[in-house]
Amino acid sequence: MIGIIGSGNVGANTAFFLAEKGVDHVTLYDVQEGLAKGKALDMMEAAPIRGYRTTIRGTDNPDEVLDADIVILTAGSVRKPGMKRDALYQENRQIIEGYARKITNMDTKVIIVSEPLDVMTTIFAEKSILPSSQILGLGGLLDATRLRFLIADELKVSMENVAAQVVGRHTDDMILLRDYCCVSGMSIDNFLSEEKIKELFEQTRQAGALIVEMAGRASAYYGPSAVAAELAEAITLDTGRVLSVSQVLNGQFGIEKVALSLPALIGRNGIKQVVEPTLTSGEIETLKQSARLITQTIEEASHA
Ligand code: NAD
């Protein structure tokens, strides 16, 4: 069973995508009484037409989701137009720390969505008794998915043909790996000018903020939900996907005890193996600076 904590935009849509994929049964929970039950019922009433092979149910009792095979954490506040993701730390941190202490089934894998993502993944791992290989944050895969869309849309080629890789922090200082961006195995340099590549990379960095600006009252959720469902599927079906996820680093690029996105081989037990892409010295410095900023955010908040 896949448990989803938080049944707002991301939580509910992740449940819907999981049902459409038929990955596993889903239980939704939200602190707002009745919300999870109501949304689950609504989605199940679409089942006769959509033909789900799995069920979605809602509960007001958190204990019914805490020891799920996979827990997807989507509880917390979203940013408003003009707001940086880090500004959500004070608001969301207690929620994440609370669940880190309450999830005690040693077989549970946790997918963290709540922002600021890499900070939340770091503090969740700090407070949790689970091995860090079972704690995955939704960061680089979403950024890479957005970049894939932008490249495919620019070139008017099939999105399936476009591959991209993004590592580092899920903020403006994400690292978009140009040498790993290709169209049907060929470098994007064969298809796009230098200027256009820079423009698409900048659009990817600002993709989340642009949606918040446009939508006004909600942050992005279809893209993030699709990625959360993809990660849960990769774990449940053990399909050997290599995906960029935020994870507590263990010496990679000289960084320890801080979560940042790097590609990882995903399996039934979470992260099977971390894959270190080739980075330039500048990219390694950006990665280290990101790690320092995460540590600083956590330290400053603990003194606030
Ligand atoms: P939302 O406001 O639609 O839903 C959040 C839900 O969390 C609400 O229903 C609220 O009642 C619930 N909640 C609050 N505290 C709770 C608690 N202690 N236990 C259980 N439920 C609780 O927000 P959303 O759009 O679904 O986004 C959810 C989180 O995901 C936000 O922090 C947002 O910033 C983050 N997010 C991250 C990414 C990413 O790329 N990692 C992308 C989109 C959104």
Side-chain angles (χ1 to χ4, degrees):
M1 188 266 282
I2 298 173
I4 300 182
I5 299 181
S7 306
N9 287 328
V10 177
N13 278 284
T14 302
F16 178 71
F17 288 144
L18 284 167
E20 291 262 311
K21 281 170 172 276
V23 174
D24 200 352
H25 301 291
V26 177
T27 304
L28 275 170
Y29 163 73
D30 198 282
V31 75
Q32 201 181 312
E33 211 179 311
L35 185 73
K37 285 182 172 174
K39 288 198 178 183
L41 178 61
D42 188 15
M43 284 188 263
M44 285 315 293
E45 288 179 350
I49 293 175
R50 300 304 307 170
Y52 315 139
R53 282 170 281 138
T54 54
T55 55
I56 305 169
R57 51 180 293 276
T59 179
D60 288 328
N61 178 1
D63 293 343
E64 292 183 28
V65 293
L66 292 174
D67 67 350
D69 302 312
I70 298 174
V71 172
I72 306 179
L73 253 175
T74 75
S77 304
V78 296
R79 58 182 168 151
K80 318 284 177 301
M83 201 174 174
K84 292 270 182 202
R85 291 174 170 113
D86 274 355
L88 293 171
Y89 181 54
Q90 284 294 18
E91 283 180 60
N92 291 346
R93 120 185 206 220
Q94 279 174 354
I95 299 176
I96 299 305
E97 286 185 356
Y99 287 116
R101 293 197 181 90
K102 285 181 199 151
I103 297 173
T104 53
N105 173 359
M106 293 306 286
D107 294 327
T108 296
K109 275 72 62 184
V110 181
I111 297 173
I112 297 169
V113 183
S114 309
E115 295 275 20
L117 191 272
D118 304 288
V119 185
M120 290 307 177
T121 308
T122 303
I123 58 155
F124 186 97
E126 230 175 79
K127 308 288 175 201
S128 171
I129 58 167
L130 301 181
S132 59
S133 57
Q134 289 170 214
I135 302 165
L136 291 72
L138 188 157
L141 180 58
L142 173 61
D143 301 320
T145 304
R146 287 173 165 161
L147 178 57
R148 284 178 60 201
F149 164 73
L150 291 170
I151 294 171
D153 191 47
E154 176 64 30
L155 294 173
K156 303 290 174 252
V157 298
S158 154
M159 299 192 203
E160 284 166 40
N161 274 166
V162 178
Q165 189 57 261
V166 179
V167 301
R169 201 166 171 225
H170 182 55
T171 56
D172 304 357
D173 53 5
M174 63 181 73
I175 304 166
L176 300 100
L177 299 180
R178 183 180 172 147
D179 290 350
Y180 294 82
C181 291
C182 38
V183 179
S184 199
M186 290 168 281
S187 165
I188 49 164
D189 292 348
N190 297 342
F191 298 84
L192 293 166
S193 68
E194 185 66 30
E195 199 184 18
K196 186 49 83 178
I197 293 171
K198 280 195 179 139
E199 191 185 313
L200 297 181
F201 278 19
E202 190 49 30
Q203 279 180 37
T204 307
R205 288 181 211 286
Q206 302 304 329
L210 179 64
I211 293 166
V212 179
E213 289 300 329
M214 284 173 154
R217 293 174 55 190
S219 73
Y221 55 92
Y222 292 112
S225 304
V227 171
E230 190 83 348
L231 277 177
E233 182 184 41
I235 295 169
T236 307
L237 303 185
D238 199 10
T239 40
R241 303 284 309 273
V242 177
L243 303 169
S244 182
V245 290
S246 185
Q247 55 194 293
V248 172
L249 303 191
N250 185 21
Q252 292 85 1
F253 301 103
I255 300 167
E256 274 181 296
K257 296 185 181 164
V258 170
L260 289 168
S261 282
L262 282 183
L265 173 59
I266 310 293
R268 195 174 301 287
N269 297 318
I271 296 170
K272 272 179 156 168
Q273 190 193 330
V274 187
V275 186
E276 286 186 42
T278 307
L279 300 184
T280 64
S281 54
E283 288 165 344
I284 295 173
E285 192 36 53
T286 305
L287 208 60
K288 288 183 172 170
Q289 174 62 5
S290 297
R292 286 193 284 272
L293 287 170
I294 291 169
T295 309
Q296 194 183 321
T297 304
I298 295 171
E299 279 173 3
E300 279 173 9
S302 70
H303 297 127

